[in-house]
Amino acid sequence: LRVRVHAIDLRWGVTGEQQPLQRCLEAVDEARPFFVGLLSERYGWVPEVYEADHTAAFRWLQHHPLGQSITHLEMFYGALANKPADTTTPCASFYLRDPSFLSNVPAELVPDFVDSEVRAKDGLSQLKRDIRQSAF
C-alpha cells in the first residue's frame, strides 16, 4: 500500500486576493477521496456571505443556509454531504477532542481554546451532532 500523507491545515495559505471559503473548499477537493476532520471547542470564522465561484462544484453554496463557519462548510462539503457509499468520499474520518482537556489548560488561556459567543457555541454543537449522526 503506497500512501502519501500531505497535511492541509486550512488556517494556512489563504492570502490577499483569494476568497478564503473557495480556497478551503478547493483544498478539500485536492485531498479527495480522503477527508479527515479534526474538531475541538472552536467553531471558526463565519463569513457574512459565501463567496466562491459558482462552478458546478460550489453551486450548492447558493442554496446553503448562511451562518455556518468555514470549518463547518469544509466538513459538510468534504464528507457530511455525501453518503458513505458515494465513491467521491470512500474514506472519511472525524476526530472530536474530548472537552475535558480544558481542565488542564491554565484559566487565562481557556479563551484561546473555547468560543465565547452563543452563535458559535450553537453552531459547534450542531456540527458535532451532524458528525455523530453521520455514518462516518
Side-chain angles (χ1 to χ4, degrees), residues 3 12 22 97 116:
V3 176
W12 309 333
Q22 180 169 329
R97 189 176 199 177
S116 58

Side-chain angles (χ1 to χ4, degrees), residues 29-78:
D29 280 337
E30 291 166 11
R32 290 190 193 276
F34 304 102
F35 184 86
V36 177
L38 306 173
L39 195 59
S40 189
E41 300 305 307
R42 294 190 62 90
Y43 187 53
W45 179 62
V46 178
E48 291 182 21
V49 296
Y50 300 148
E51 292 186 30
D53 290 342
H54 294 295
T55 59
F58 304 135
R59 196 166 292 132
W60 61 274
L61 285 169
Q62 294 174 341
H63 308 289
H64 199 77
L66 290 173
Q68 292 185 338
S69 70
I70 289 182
T71 301
H72 196 144
L73 296 167
E74 291 162 352
M75 293 187 179
F76 176 82
Y77 182 63

